[in-house]
Amino acid sequence: MQHFRAYFVLFLIIPLMIFAEDGSQLWLRFPAKNGISADQIIAKGNSPTLNIARKELSSHWQGQTVELRTDKSLKKLKDGYTIKSSQNKIVISAGKEIGLLYGVYHILRLQQNQVSTLNLNITEKPSYDVRILNHWDNLDGTIERGYAGHSLWKWEDLPNIISPRYEEYAWANASVGINSVVLNNVNASPNMLREDYLKKVKVLADIFRPYGIRVYLSVNFASPKVLGGTENSDPLNKNVQKWWKDKASEIYKLIPDFGGFLVKANSEGQPGPQDYGRTHADGANMMADVLKPYGGIVMWRAFVYSPSKDDRAKQAYLEFVPLDGKFRDNVIIQIKNGPVDFQPREAFNPLFGALKKTPEMVEFQITQEYLGQANHLVYLAPLFKETLESDTYSNGEGSTIAKITDGTLRPAKITAISAVANIGEDTNWTGHHFAQANWYAFGRLAWNHELSADQIAKEWITMTFTDNEKFVNPVKEMMLTSRETAVDYMMPLGLHHIFAGGHHYGPEPWGDYKGGRPDWSPVYYHQADKNGVGFDRTKTGSDAVSQYFPPLNEIYGNIKTCPENLILWFHHVPWDYKMKDGKTLWEELCYKYDSGVHEVRDYQKIWDQMEPYIDEQRFAEVQSKLKIQSKDAVWWKDACLLYFQTFSQMPIPYEIERPVHELEDLKKIKLKMGHHN
Ligand code: BDP
């Protein structure tokens, strides 16, 4: 009996051991078997980076002999590489050692995706030089807009205690080509630059370096005054300049390959050069000058707006266009994809292409502040692609944001692309298993912005879950449509920023923070009244349309030609306006919200059929998140339709599911999360 019980327990445990997965391995789920033997790896040298490449091959590579060659003539490929193979051998060549490691990850990815490696002839060159994650991590371990637990960086423990996750993090980034990280929040504490913190930063930089990753810091503009006791932080003050110069020298002594600074200045209450009557260029150049001798750069954010009478969407353009040409060549202007703030859908930021002499880079947001946070499944590659492929017409047709930022249309010493990370100390790193795909997709697109959202999803699913087509195909479909689905149930037709204040999780279109900043109130953005809804940005409205190059100014400015998915972004549209499909605007809005809800219900149906193909734990966790998403979609639909109906006074079409909530009850919901705006 005893015996039997023991067997029985084993019988229960073994399958669990085989199948239980918690997502901690990300997309790096290699077979348990060993890789090739040491004599099948041909490589000269012994650097830490090469040794990682060797270790990856001997642990995971099951194919031919691999030769790794550094070849100076390939320097033009930057971090890139070539891969040439025959039956017996693969040769990976690169101008730099990091290129060899990237090449190794390339063949491992092919192996994971069951692509033959017998006849390869590949040349890869990254789209951007700096492929950077921005962590919004605070020194107290919290993360601004983080939904995957506390910060990975254990500042209290550093520099003495080293978490194994630092290296795992570097590994994951290197596997997709991410080569830079900003460790701390753009709302930066001056303490980040204190000597004791810099010593901690050094430890992280040392761990990341062999993986090709450089460290950057967000800096607080008032640091000289706060830390150094200078009389102010005026960028033209010699003492202030000296303080930064000394600080740079201190940093580079500890971290010789330090990347540079990211700066949020004169935005949302942060200090900046304007506090002293100086410009963004004065501020950025002062920092650029002290970093220049070491090869460092300044990423100066264009996310600036103040409570003014003018449309918030216009402000970055108004502040930065007059400064074009006034920045040092190691300054890049970091611009959010849209002119407001990482909304489910925005028109692209008109500052892209408007600066002719100043390098520009995109800032995306991987962490889903405005997209259901760690509860909603929203695959972001389609959003990233939508921005990168947007044609600004700045240099005639074909002037896409990708081409403006990757150096094709603007000579740039350094090109870069950034995104706000969604990574925390949760076991699965990102809170939602599918949010890992957004980290992955950003890396892949930063490396090659021409990859399709479809291909990236397919790779990621195969590596993260299974190669079984019965799983890959439906799940891929779900991912590819998921961003549009979220737009449908949250903010269709160009609506934006109708989130609950503070945490930005649920709907609050009625939000009118009287006495507070109007530009933090949903009613400011949707402008609903009895005539219609939407923000008039045409010539007779805020005239934001004029910030776009022709013909876009005309296309967006004319209600007949404005794309309907942005119509309420640019126009105040009458409730009975006839849309292209013959419905009234009000009906269209109703159908959009309703289809968003149905799409999430379809995802639930798809997912429930996926149970046989993957491990129980991840299956169940995603299943329960989809339930939340489904309930939230109904919440969004009811809140928005019932509220807007008080203006339109029109019936909800009868084919559409009836509201299940009372508006008054929804207005009472106050979630306790997060803090400001
Ligand atoms: C907004 C966030 C806020 C950030 C700000 C920024 O709500 O927490 O500090 O962006 O990017 O989206 O600076």
Side-chain angles (χ1 to χ4, degrees):
M1 188 59 197
Q2 204 73 40
H3 222 80
F4 172 77
R5 204 177 290 151
Y7 272 122
F8 186 68
V9 168
L10 267 185
F11 172 79
L12 279 175
I13 286 174
I14 288 176
L16 273 179
M17 277 164 37
I18 296 172
F19 296 118
E21 289 209 44
D22 55 17
S24 58
Q25 290 173 280
L26 297 162
W27 49 88
L28 299 158
R29 293 162 60 256
F30 295 109
K33 299 182 264 180
N34 279 340
I36 52 178
S37 59
D39 59 340
Q40 286 178 283
I41 304 169
I42 308 167
K44 278 201 209 100
N46 238 329
S47 73
T49 302
L50 264 183
N51 287 340
I52 294 168
R54 282 198 183 90
K55 194 172 139 233
E56 298 292 12
L57 291 169
S58 62
S59 313
H60 309 300
W61 174 248
Q62 267 127 30
Q64 314 94 299
T65 291
V66 177
E67 181 175 349
L68 305 176
R69 276 189 206 157
T70 27
D71 176 347
K72 295 262 172 313
S73 73
L74 294 179
K75 280 248 154 85
K76 56 183 186 301
L77 296 181
K78 300 190 167 181
D79 289 349
Y81 48 86
T82 63
I83 305 178
K84 297 203 163 68
S85 73
S86 63
Q87 198 81 15
N88 308 318
K89 191 167 152 187
I90 298 191
V91 180
I92 303 178
S93 312
K96 302 194 219 165
E97 283 188 345
I98 188 64
L100 298 176
L101 183 58
Y102 289 148
V104 167
Y105 290 123
H106 191 133
I107 61 172
L108 287 172
R109 186 161 54 238
L110 296 180
Q111 173 177 277
Q112 282 174 292
N113 280 283
Q114 263 95 50
V115 178
S116 162
T117 58
L118 297 182
N119 203 356
L120 300 175
N121 188 358
I122 294 170
T123 303
E124 288 275 327
K125 181 181 172 203
S127 300
Y128 297 96
D129 301 332
V130 178
R131 306 173 290 279
I132 187 164
L133 287 180
N134 290 185
H135 287 263
W136 283 359
D137 295 21
N138 298 312
L139 296 178
D140 67 0
T142 59
I143 305 182
E144 176 139 356
R145 313 304 179 183
Y147 312 105
H150 271 68
S151 172
L152 276 185
W153 325 130
K154 301 286 156 222
W155 296 111
E156 296 284 315
D157 296 350
L158 285 164
N160 302 318
I161 306 171
I162 312 284
S163 154
R165 291 194 103 181
Y166 300 151
E167 189 167 353
E168 289 165 16
Y169 164 85
W171 182 41
N173 278 334
S175 78
V176 288
I178 291 170
N179 68 350
S180 305
V181 300
V182 179
L183 294 175
N184 61 319
N185 192 353
V186 284
N187 299 316
S189 162
N191 288 338
M192 189 76 257
L193 292 178
R194 245 166 47 186
E195 191 191 349
D196 52 338
Y197 277 105
L198 292 177
K199 288 193 172 139
K200 299 168 195 266
V201 172
K202 174 198 159 51
V203 173
L204 293 176
D206 289 344
I207 297 170
F208 299 165
R209 187 171 298 110
Y211 291 90
I213 295 170
R214 292 171 89 174
V215 163
Y216 295 66
L217 293 175
S218 294
V219 297
N220 184 300
F221 202 80
S223 300
K225 181 164 186 229
V226 179
L227 290 185
T230 52
E231 53 284 17
N232 55 35
S233 294
D234 181 347
L236 300 194
N237 176 338
K238 292 274 176 295
N239 294 332
V240 169
Q241 293 169 355
K242 178 164 185 319
W243 187 88
W244 284 107
K245 194 165 175 235
D246 293 346
K247 193 44 84 178
S249 134
E250 181 188 342
I251 295 173
Y252 280 93
K253 265 191 209 110
L254 291 166
I255 309 163
D257 58 352
F258 179 72
F261 296 149
L262 172 62
V263 195
K264 171 175 178 177
N266 293 120
S267 167
E268 297 186 332
Q270 292 297 321
Q274 293 174 347
D275 303 349
Y276 308 99
R278 315 297 180 197
T279 67
H280 286 292
D282 295 328
N285 291 345
M286 171 197 58
M287 293 188 180
D289 288 342
V290 304
L291 295 171
K292 178 101 182 174
Y294 310 97
I297 63 170
V298 175
M299 292 165 293
W300 192 270
R301 292 177 91 226
F303 179 70
V304 293
Y305 67 100
S306 42
S308 72
K309 285 221 176 60
D310 216 342
D311 179 1
R312 171 170 164 189
K314 288 168 64 183
Q315 294 188 30
Y317 181 102
L318 292 175
E319 285 201 38
F320 281 86
V321 169
L323 299 175
D324 192 17
K326 300 212 165 91
F327 293 94
R328 302 282 191 266
D329 64 2
N330 56 334
V331 177
I332 306 190
I333 306 302
Q334 178 165 317
I335 308 169
K336 288 189 182 182
N337 57 287
V340 171
D341 196 3
F342 299 136
Q343 296 302 293
R345 168 166 284 117
E346 296 194 30
F348 71 81
N349 198 319
L351 192 51
F352 288 112
L355 300 180
K356 304 276 183 196
K357 300 177 201 138
T358 313
E360 302 184 313
M361 64 188 278
V362 184
E363 175 179 321
F364 287 121
Q365 193 182 46
I366 307 177
T367 192
Q368 291 167 232
E369 173 179 359
Y370 296 104
L371 282 160
Q373 301 174 4
N375 285 337
H376 295 198
L377 188 162
V378 184
Y379 173 54
L380 295 176
L383 186 161
F384 300 159
K385 291 287 287 184
E386 183 173 297
T387 300
L388 292 167
E389 288 172 358
S390 289
D391 195 344
T392 67
Y393 290 89
S394 64
N395 299 42
E397 199 174 341
S399 310
T400 59
I401 291 179
K403 286 191 183 155
I404 286 164
T405 53
D406 74 0
T408 311
L409 292 174
R410 294 273 186 289
K413 269 206 163 159
I414 309 150
T415 61
I417 187 165
S418 68
V420 182
N422 60 351
I423 301 158
E425 66 175 358
D426 275 6
T427 305
N428 71 13
W429 300 85
T430 55
H432 194 306
H433 290 290
F434 276 79
Q436 295 178 355
N438 296 330
W439 175 8
Y440 181 87
F442 169 71
R444 296 287 285 134
L445 285 171
W447 182 270
N448 179 359
H449 59 51
E450 282 175 11
L451 291 173
S452 67
D454 184 301
Q455 163 163 359
I456 296 170
K458 181 163 186 279
E459 285 175 1
W460 177 82
I461 298 167
T462 306
M463 295 188 285
T464 306
F465 289 105
T466 168
D467 61 355
N468 190 328
E469 283 185 4
K470 292 197 180 125
F471 182 90
V472 177
N473 293 334
V475 170
K476 192 182 78 178
E477 258 329 285
M478 173 168 89
M479 287 173 71
L480 287 172
T481 54
S482 61
R483 184 279 183 125
E484 207 58 46
T485 294
V487 169
D488 287 346
Y489 65 72
M490 286 184 178
M491 278 164 244
L493 304 175
L495 283 172
H496 51 288
H497 226 317
I498 54 177
F499 292 94
H503 50 71
H504 299 156
Y505 186 80
E508 202 173 279
W510 47 85
D512 184 358
Y513 313 130
K514 290 203 178 75
R517 295 175 59 153
D519 56 357
W520 283 352
S521 288
V523 296
Y524 168 90
Y525 293 100
H526 64 64
Q527 305 269 328
D529 56 22
K530 65 178 188 335
N531 302 321
V533 60
F535 199 121
D536 183 359
R537 296 194 162 102
T538 66
K539 283 206 174 103
T540 48
S542 81
D543 200 25
V545 288
S546 295
Q547 294 183 339
Y548 292 89
F549 288 93
L552 288 181
N553 53 349
E554 299 291 335
I555 292 173
Y556 291 151
N558 179 341
I559 193 167
K560 294 276 167 244
T561 52
C562 180
E564 287 192 345
N565 63 10
L566 288 173
I567 199 162
L568 304 181
W569 183 278
F570 287 113
H571 297 270
H572 191 72
V573 184
W575 294 110
D576 61 359
Y577 178 79
K578 277 262 171 313
M579 303 291 283
K580 294 201 176 90
D581 62 5
K583 294 192 182 79
T584 64
L585 169 73
W586 166 251
E587 288 164 343
E588 189 78 19
L589 208 57
C590 293
Y591 278 96
K592 284 283 181 198
Y593 275 106
D594 196 56
S595 73
V597 168
H598 282 285
E599 282 149 21
V600 183
R601 296 230 173 97
D602 286 345
Y603 298 164
Q604 289 186 284
K605 290 182 199 155
I606 293 170
W607 189 251
D608 282 357
Q609 294 171 65
M610 297 298 112
E611 189 165 8
Y613 307 114
I614 62 163
D615 54 286
E616 257 172 59
Q617 182 178 343
R618 289 187 300 168
F619 172 76
E621 285 170 357
V622 172
Q623 185 184 48
S624 72
K625 296 258 175 177
L626 283 169
K627 287 180 191 160
I628 301 174
Q629 188 171 359
S630 225
K631 283 187 233 161
D632 285 352
V634 177
W635 175 24
W636 271 99
K637 164 179 170 257
D638 286 3
C640 296
L641 291 184
L642 290 172
Y643 168 74
F644 288 130
Q645 194 179 33
T646 64
F647 298 98
S648 80
Q649 301 288 333
M650 292 160 96
I652 294 175
Y654 293 111
E655 301 85 11
I656 283 177
E657 284 193 31
R658 308 288 88 196
V660 294
H661 299 97
E662 299 296 339
L663 180 58
E664 290 315 309
D665 293 337
L666 296 176
K667 284 187 176 176
K668 283 184 206 136
I669 298 177
K670 289 271 177 260
L671 302 178
K672 283 203 184 61
M673 336 159 68
H675 43 288
H676 72 96
N677 67 322

